[in-house]
Amino acid sequence: MTKGEAVEYVKVCTAFGPGFFYIPGSDTCLRIGSEFRIDYRVYGGGKFNRDDNRTAFNAQARVWFDARTETEYGLLRSYFQINADSNTATRVNGTEQRNRFTIDKAFIQFGGLTAGYAHSFFGFYDNDYGNTIFGPYYAQSNTVNLIAYTAQFGGGFSATLSVEDGRDHRQNDVFAYQGGQQVPDVVGVLRLDQEWGTVALQAAAHQFRSASRYDNGTPDDPTDDVALRHQNKWGYAIGGDVLIKIPQLQDGHLVIEGQYADGALDYLGADNLYALRSQDFYYRNGFSRLEAGKGWSVTAELGGNFTPQWGFNIVPSYIDTRYDGAGSNGQDLKAKEYAITGNLTYMIVKGLSVTGEVSYIRSEFDRELGNETFADNRPKEKLNSVVGGIRIKRMF
C-alpha cells in the first residue's frame, strides 16, 4: 500500500506581510488576528460618592479579519473587527455596561476608495498612535460611517476627501436636542510621508441645527418668545500634525497634533473629557440666537522601545472650550482640562505583555456647564484626579 502524498490545504501568502494565507480555491489572502486585554484600574482624587466605583475591572477580546486581493485596478481589501467587553471599566456606577459586543471597524477599500465604518480621516494621532491604556487625550478618536477617496501624487504626498456622517461627530452633552442631519460632514486632508516622519493638515465642515423642541423636551410653541429658534449653522475644525521618527529607539517617535474648532467640538477630542462636558452649540443671551461653542486642543506623545523587552510612552494633552454669553444671564462659560499620562511596558514573551500606567487629570471650569458637571454648582471649580492601573495583553 502506497502512502498518500500530503495535501497542502492552506498556502501561505507573503504579498501582504506575515500572518496571511490564501483562502482555499481563491486568490484572496486572509489574516485572522486576535487580542485579549485584561485591565485593572484604580481611581483617586476627584469627587466621589457612594454610587461611584473607585476600582474597576474589564476583560476585552478583539477579533479581526483582513482580506486582500490584488486586482488590475489596485488592491481590494475588506476589514472587520469586533470587540467584546466583560464589564466596561467606568468610574460612575450608572454608566456601566456588561457583556457588551461592539463593531470596531467594518470597511472596504479599493484602490484609493474607502467606504464603511472606519476611523475618521481627520484624526492622525489616534489612528496611528494613541498609546495610552487608561489616560485621556484630546484628539479626534471616533470611528464613523464614511466614504472617502485618497489620491497618491508621488514623493510621499497624498490628499484625501472624506464625506462622514455628521451624527457620528456630534457633541450633545449639555443641551438635550439637535435637529436631524441635512448635510454630512466634509473632511479634507493633505499629508506628506517621508523616511524621517510625517506632516499632515486637515480641515472639516460640520452642520449643527436646533431641534423643534424646547430644551426641556416640551413641544415648541412659536408664539412663545423664549422658544428655541429654528436655525441651521455651519461649524468647522482645522488641525495639523507633525511626526518625527527617533531612530535611536525601536519604533521611537515624537508626534504632536493640534486643532481648533468652532461649532465642531468633536474634532477636538471632546468625547474624551474626563470630568467636564461639551456641546457644539448653545443659545446666547436668553435663547435669542444659536451660537457655536469654540475651543482648541493639543496632544503630544514621546515613546518607543529602549530594549526589545521594555517600552514607554509619555502623553501630555490639553483642551480648552468656551461658550461666550450663554444662558439666560449671558454668562461666559469656560472649561478646560489637561492630562499627562506615562506608561511602561514589559514584553514577557513574544505576544504577551504587561503595562503599568499612571495618569493625572486637572479639570477647571468657570460657571456651571449643565446639571451633571459638579454637584455644588460653584461659579468656579478645580478638580484633580488620578487614574492608574495595569493591562495584561495577549496578541496573535
Side-chain angles (χ1 to χ4, degrees), residues 276 318 334-338 362-366 369 374 380-384:
L276 300 176
Y318 178 85
K334 301 177 182 179
K336 58 186 178 181
E337 194 169 272
Y338 64 84
R362 170 89 164 190
S363 310
E364 301 180 4
F365 78 104
D366 294 338
L369 289 178
F374 293 102
K380 294 186 178 182
E381 185 72 30
K382 298 178 181 179
L383 184 67
N384 298 295

mmCIF file of all heavy atoms in Angstrom, residues 276 318 334-338 362-366 369 374 380-384:
data_model
loop_
_atom_site.group_PDB
_atom_site.id
_atom_site.type_symbol
_atom_site.label_atom_id
_atom_site.label_comp_id
_atom_site.label_asym_id
_atom_site.label_seq_id
_atom_site.Cartn_x
_atom_site.Cartn_y
_atom_site.Cartn_z
ATOM 1 N N LEU A 276 -15.563 66.999 32.539
ATOM 2 C CA LEU A 276 -16.338 68.116 32.022
ATOM 3 C C LEU A 276 -17.249 67.662 30.895
ATOM 4 O O LEU A 276 -17.282 66.488 30.542
ATOM 5 C CB LEU A 276 -15.393 69.223 31.547
ATOM 6 C CG LEU A 276 -14.480 69.796 32.633
ATOM 7 C CD1 LEU A 276 -13.522 70.807 32.033
ATOM 8 C CD2 LEU A 276 -15.280 70.422 33.766
ATOM 9 N N TYR A 318 -4.092 68.648 26.254
ATOM 10 C CA TYR A 318 -4.809 69.800 26.804
ATOM 11 C C TYR A 318 -5.987 70.147 25.893
ATOM 12 O O TYR A 318 -5.884 70.067 24.660
ATOM 13 C CB TYR A 318 -3.858 71.008 26.893
ATOM 14 C CG TYR A 318 -4.494 72.275 27.390
ATOM 15 C CD1 TYR A 318 -4.618 72.537 28.749
ATOM 16 C CD2 TYR A 318 -4.975 73.228 26.495
ATOM 17 C CE1 TYR A 318 -5.192 73.709 29.210
ATOM 18 C CE2 TYR A 318 -5.564 74.407 26.939
ATOM 19 C CZ TYR A 318 -5.667 74.640 28.299
ATOM 20 O OH TYR A 318 -6.257 75.794 28.760
ATOM 21 N N LYS A 334 -16.642 78.703 30.549
ATOM 22 C CA LYS A 334 -15.338 78.258 30.091
ATOM 23 C C LYS A 334 -14.976 76.952 30.790
ATOM 24 O O LYS A 334 -15.243 76.791 31.984
ATOM 25 C CB LYS A 334 -14.267 79.307 30.389
ATOM 26 C CG LYS A 334 -14.534 80.665 29.746
ATOM 27 C CD LYS A 334 -13.479 81.673 30.144
ATOM 28 C CE LYS A 334 -13.782 83.045 29.534
ATOM 29 N NZ LYS A 334 -12.770 84.058 29.942
ATOM 30 N N ALA A 335 -14.394 76.052 30.040
ATOM 31 C CA ALA A 335 -13.977 74.771 30.618
ATOM 32 C C ALA A 335 -12.680 74.326 29.955
ATOM 33 O O ALA A 335 -12.525 74.445 28.739
ATOM 34 C CB ALA A 335 -15.059 73.708 30.413
ATOM 35 N N LYS A 336 -11.770 73.830 30.760
ATOM 36 C CA LYS A 336 -10.519 73.310 30.222
ATOM 37 C C LYS A 336 -10.063 72.116 31.058
ATOM 38 O O LYS A 336 -10.406 72.001 32.235
ATOM 39 C CB LYS A 336 -9.439 74.383 30.181
ATOM 40 C CG LYS A 336 -9.116 75.031 31.516
ATOM 41 C CD LYS A 336 -8.137 76.179 31.325
ATOM 42 C CE LYS A 336 -7.833 76.887 32.637
ATOM 43 N NZ LYS A 336 -6.902 78.023 32.446
ATOM 44 N N GLU A 337 -9.327 71.256 30.398
ATOM 45 C CA GLU A 337 -8.861 70.046 31.067
ATOM 46 C C GLU A 337 -7.511 69.662 30.469
ATOM 47 O O GLU A 337 -7.302 69.776 29.260
ATOM 48 C CB GLU A 337 -9.869 68.917 30.862
ATOM 49 C CG GLU A 337 -9.668 67.717 31.763
ATOM 50 C CD GLU A 337 -10.864 66.761 31.698
ATOM 51 O OE1 GLU A 337 -11.822 66.955 32.479
ATOM 52 O OE2 GLU A 337 -10.837 65.848 30.853
ATOM 53 N N TYR A 338 -6.602 69.240 31.319
ATOM 54 C CA TYR A 338 -5.358 68.710 30.787
ATOM 55 C C TYR A 338 -4.992 67.438 31.532
ATOM 56 O O TYR A 338 -5.391 67.215 32.685
ATOM 57 C CB TYR A 338 -4.224 69.735 30.814
ATOM 58 C CG TYR A 338 -3.776 70.214 32.174
ATOM 59 C CD1 TYR A 338 -2.845 69.501 32.932
ATOM 60 C CD2 TYR A 338 -4.248 71.428 32.691
ATOM 61 C CE1 TYR A 338 -2.421 69.969 34.156
ATOM 62 C CE2 TYR A 338 -3.830 71.895 33.920
ATOM 63 C CZ TYR A 338 -2.901 71.172 34.659
ATOM 64 O OH TYR A 338 -2.482 71.629 35.886
ATOM 65 N N ARG A 362 -6.360 67.297 35.360
ATOM 66 C CA ARG A 362 -6.790 68.534 36.012
ATOM 67 C C ARG A 362 -7.954 69.116 35.222
ATOM 68 O O ARG A 362 -7.830 69.390 34.020
ATOM 69 C CB ARG A 362 -5.637 69.526 36.037
ATOM 70 C CG ARG A 362 -6.006 70.927 36.458
ATOM 71 C CD ARG A 362 -5.906 71.134 37.941
ATOM 72 N NE ARG A 362 -5.901 72.551 38.295
ATOM 73 C CZ ARG A 362 -5.624 72.996 39.503
ATOM 74 N NH1 ARG A 362 -5.301 72.141 40.453
ATOM 75 N NH2 ARG A 362 -5.645 74.285 39.767
ATOM 76 N N SER A 363 -9.104 69.316 35.871
ATOM 77 C CA SER A 363 -10.302 69.849 35.231
ATOM 78 C C SER A 363 -10.660 71.184 35.871
ATOM 79 O O SER A 363 -10.721 71.284 37.100
ATOM 80 C CB SER A 363 -11.479 68.871 35.380
ATOM 81 O OG SER A 363 -11.107 67.566 34.989
ATOM 82 N N GLU A 364 -10.889 72.209 35.047
ATOM 83 C CA GLU A 364 -11.223 73.535 35.559
ATOM 84 C C GLU A 364 -12.399 74.103 34.777
ATOM 85 O O GLU A 364 -12.488 73.905 33.566
ATOM 86 C CB GLU A 364 -10.027 74.487 35.425
ATOM 87 C CG GLU A 364 -8.788 74.012 36.167
ATOM 88 C CD GLU A 364 -7.628 74.974 36.021
ATOM 89 O OE1 GLU A 364 -7.829 76.058 35.406
ATOM 90 O OE2 GLU A 364 -6.522 74.654 36.484
ATOM 91 N N PHE A 365 -13.290 74.821 35.472
ATOM 92 C CA PHE A 365 -14.385 75.474 34.768
ATOM 93 C C PHE A 365 -14.792 76.747 35.482
ATOM 94 O O PHE A 365 -14.595 76.902 36.685
ATOM 95 C CB PHE A 365 -15.590 74.541 34.620
ATOM 96 C CG PHE A 365 -16.419 74.420 35.866
ATOM 97 C CD1 PHE A 365 -17.632 75.075 35.972
ATOM 98 C CD2 PHE A 365 -15.992 73.644 36.924
ATOM 99 C CE1 PHE A 365 -18.401 74.969 37.132
ATOM 100 C CE2 PHE A 365 -16.748 73.541 38.082
ATOM 101 C CZ PHE A 365 -17.959 74.196 38.187
ATOM 102 N N ASP A 366 -15.320 77.687 34.713
ATOM 103 C CA ASP A 366 -15.939 78.904 35.215
ATOM 104 C C ASP A 366 -17.419 78.821 34.902
ATOM 105 O O ASP A 366 -17.798 78.615 33.750
ATOM 106 C CB ASP A 366 -15.355 80.144 34.540
ATOM 107 C CG ASP A 366 -13.904 80.357 34.900
ATOM 108 O OD1 ASP A 366 -13.479 79.841 35.940
ATOM 109 O OD2 ASP A 366 -13.197 81.030 34.122
ATOM 110 N N LEU A 369 -21.556 74.073 33.739
ATOM 111 C CA LEU A 369 -21.835 73.547 32.399
ATOM 112 C C LEU A 369 -22.779 72.359 32.512
ATOM 113 O O LEU A 369 -22.365 71.215 32.537
ATOM 114 C CB LEU A 369 -20.535 73.115 31.719
ATOM 115 C CG LEU A 369 -19.595 74.230 31.277
ATOM 116 C CD1 LEU A 369 -18.343 73.629 30.684
ATOM 117 C CD2 LEU A 369 -20.277 75.111 30.260
ATOM 118 N N PHE A 374 -20.765 69.434 38.213
ATOM 119 C CA PHE A 374 -20.333 69.359 39.590
ATOM 120 C C PHE A 374 -21.539 69.602 40.489
ATOM 121 O O PHE A 374 -22.347 70.485 40.235
ATOM 122 C CB PHE A 374 -19.238 70.378 39.887
ATOM 123 C CG PHE A 374 -17.954 70.096 39.166
ATOM 124 C CD1 PHE A 374 -17.610 70.819 38.038
ATOM 125 C CD2 PHE A 374 -17.107 69.092 39.582
ATOM 126 C CE1 PHE A 374 -16.437 70.564 37.357
ATOM 127 C CE2 PHE A 374 -15.932 68.824 38.913
ATOM 128 C CZ PHE A 374 -15.596 69.564 37.800
ATOM 129 N N LYS A 380 -16.895 78.712 40.164
ATOM 130 C CA LYS A 380 -15.598 78.263 39.689
ATOM 131 C C LYS A 380 -15.213 76.987 40.423
ATOM 132 O O LYS A 380 -15.523 76.817 41.595
ATOM 133 C CB LYS A 380 -14.519 79.326 39.903
ATOM 134 C CG LYS A 380 -14.730 80.588 39.074
ATOM 135 C CD LYS A 380 -13.554 81.539 39.224
ATOM 136 C CE LYS A 380 -13.751 82.768 38.350
ATOM 137 N NZ LYS A 380 -12.583 83.701 38.431
ATOM 138 N N GLU A 381 -14.559 76.095 39.716
ATOM 139 C CA GLU A 381 -14.215 74.812 40.326
ATOM 140 C C GLU A 381 -12.954 74.267 39.677
ATOM 141 O O GLU A 381 -12.722 74.448 38.468
ATOM 142 C CB GLU A 381 -15.356 73.812 40.139
ATOM 143 C CG GLU A 381 -15.137 72.489 40.848
ATOM 144 C CD GLU A 381 -15.274 72.604 42.354
ATOM 145 O OE1 GLU A 381 -16.044 73.459 42.817
ATOM 146 O OE2 GLU A 381 -14.610 71.834 43.050
ATOM 147 N N LYS A 382 -12.144 73.585 40.476
ATOM 148 C CA LYS A 382 -10.963 72.878 40.003
ATOM 149 C C LYS A 382 -10.988 71.481 40.587
ATOM 150 O O LYS A 382 -11.279 71.297 41.767
ATOM 151 C CB LYS A 382 -9.683 73.605 40.407
ATOM 152 C CG LYS A 382 -9.554 75.007 39.817
ATOM 153 C CD LYS A 382 -8.292 75.698 40.274
ATOM 154 C CE LYS A 382 -8.199 77.102 39.679
ATOM 155 N NZ LYS A 382 -6.971 77.809 40.132
ATOM 156 N N LEU A 383 -10.713 70.512 39.745
ATOM 157 C CA LEU A 383 -10.800 69.118 40.157
ATOM 158 C C LEU A 383 -9.527 68.396 39.731
ATOM 159 O O LEU A 383 -9.136 68.445 38.565
ATOM 160 C CB LEU A 383 -12.014 68.456 39.508
ATOM 161 C CG LEU A 383 -12.318 67.007 39.897
ATOM 162 C CD1 LEU A 383 -12.728 66.923 41.347
ATOM 163 C CD2 LEU A 383 -13.424 66.449 39.007
ATOM 164 N N ASN A 384 -8.881 67.741 40.683
ATOM 165 C CA ASN A 384 -7.675 66.964 40.415
ATOM 166 C C ASN A 384 -7.991 65.480 40.544
ATOM 167 O O ASN A 384 -8.553 65.046 41.551
ATOM 168 C CB ASN A 384 -6.559 67.339 41.394
ATOM 169 C CG ASN A 384 -6.146 68.790 41.278
ATOM 170 O OD1 ASN A 384 -5.628 69.208 40.250
ATOM 171 N ND2 ASN A 384 -6.388 69.573 42.314
#
